[in-house]
Amino acid sequence: MICMHRVRKFGPAPMPAALLLLAVLLVPINAGAQDGPLATSQPVAPPDPPVAVAQAAAKPTRGFFSALGHNLVDDVKHMPRTNSVYWLAGGGGLALAVHPVDKDINAHFVNSTTDRLWTPGHIIGSTPVILGSSFTTYLIGRTRHMPRLQHLGMDEIEATILAEGVTQGLKIAVRRDRPVQVDGNQSKTYSFPSGHAMLTFATATVLQQHLGYKAAIPTYAVASYVAMSRLHDNRHYASDVIFGAALGVVIGRSVTWHGRNFYASPMLLHDGGGLQLALAH
């Protein structure tokens, strides 16, 4: 259910484009749901809302950057849960199981005949592409007053930031060397875990939590393709991508745990401006 309300107007003249862009990032938003309805109308509730929309928690009104920082702290708090233990135990166990045959698996994937098939994986799973797509989703949702799309974009931004931070922290802590390249060169960066796998599985999990289980097949298929492309590129071992994927799922589920679904966004009217409030159930 999405309830829209226009409240007090605040100005007789149209808002300039520059001020609108500034408002997109700085006007306070509320990242969580209120306990009660915003109106006495009786709209028809949609059946079986996705997990990220169904769950709700009250959040204070904040600007974009303040809300992002506050939400990231909450996301980290949500990670140490029983559900996370299951995913990490499963991913860690499978990674340990394939660890002895890591090099054999890479030898199977590394070949020049399938370069065109796997090359896009490096681009699709890169941080700039995923973070850029997340910001685009958020801005479209906010400027066009589409609360659920805005909510999705914010969660994707948080998942990307957390995945990148966890990846770099574990790489420095574990310090596992990358596979030796075909030409004999050894990368100076570290292999465990796979950042591409973690990013894409975190993104896929957020999409699945927002859009429902029907979205799981295409989103996780793309994430799996990206993870396998890292084996073909000989940049990671199978154990790297397996554990990275498990961590990505944990991050995606932690980010969507509280279901931030209440927003306050600027809006333009033919005779001035106003504030639009939206509650999504």
Side-chain angles (χ1 to χ4, degrees):
M1 176 181 70
I2 297 179
C3 303
M4 298 292 187
H5 299 267
R6 295 181 181 178
V7 298
R8 186 174 150 212
K9 299 180 181 178
F10 57 81
M15 184 181 295
L19 292 180
L20 175 61
L21 179 59
L22 183 62
V24 166
L25 294 179
L26 298 182
V27 168
I29 61 174
N30 190 310
Q34 303 297 320
D35 292 332
L38 293 181
T40 58
S41 59
Q42 299 179 354
V44 178
D48 300 323
V51 174
V53 178
Q55 296 170 339
K59 295 281 183 178
T61 300
R62 302 174 185 274
F64 171 78
F65 296 106
S66 176
L68 178 61
H70 185 271
N71 293 342
L72 286 172
V73 172
D74 276 354
D75 297 335
V76 173
K77 292 179 180 179
H78 295 145
M79 290 180 69
R81 295 182 291 120
T82 303
N83 183 271
S84 301
V85 174
Y86 293 152
W87 280 102
L88 292 178
L94 186 56
L96 286 174
V98 303
H99 182 270
V101 293
D102 270 339
K103 293 183 179 180
D104 294 334
I105 295 175
N106 274 37
H108 176 74
F109 276 93
V110 176
N111 61 79
S112 59
T113 58
T114 58
D115 283 346
R116 291 186 179 182
L117 173 64
W118 299 110
T119 298
H122 171 69
I123 301 173
I124 295 172
S126 64
T127 301
V129 169
I130 293 180
L131 189 59
S133 300
S134 301
F135 268 107
T136 300
T137 301
Y138 173 83
L139 290 174
I140 291 175
R142 183 151 186 174
T143 57
R144 296 190 179 183
H145 312 303
M146 302 168 68
R148 290 184 63 176
L149 189 63
Q150 177 183 336
H151 179 186
L152 171 62
M154 174 64 86
D155 280 352
E156 292 287 15
I157 292 171
E158 294 169 29
T160 303
I161 294 173
L162 283 178
E164 185 66 24
V166 171
T167 297
Q168 298 306 321
L170 283 177
K171 283 180 183 294
I172 294 174
V174 177
R175 295 178 177 269
R176 185 185 191 185
D177 290 333
R178 290 187 185 271
V180 179
Q181 298 300 299
V182 177
D183 58 8
N185 290 328
Q186 176 67 62
S187 174
K188 295 182 180 180
T189 58
Y190 299 116
S191 182
F192 183 91
S194 168
H196 278 64
M198 195 184 304
L199 279 170
T200 51
F201 271 87
T203 300
T205 301
V206 171
L207 288 170
Q208 177 266 311
Q209 293 287 91
H210 276 264
L211 305 179
Y213 284 96
K214 291 183 179 179
I217 295 177
T219 54
Y220 284 120
V222 172
S224 299
Y225 162 77
V226 171
M228 293 172 66
S229 73
R230 305 305 285 161
L231 303 180
H232 168 79
D233 296 344
N234 206 31
R235 297 290 293 172
H236 288 285
Y237 295 109
S239 53
D240 299 335
V241 300
I242 290 172
F243 194 72
L247 271 172
V249 173
V250 169
I251 290 172
R253 293 178 69 87
S254 300
V255 163
T256 55
W257 176 251
H258 41 68
R260 290 175 299 279
N261 56 357
F262 179 79
Y263 305 95
S265 302
M267 62 184 298
L268 292 179
L269 303 174
H270 67 279
D271 57 349
L275 185 68
Q276 173 178 278
L277 303 178
L279 176 65
H281 291 287

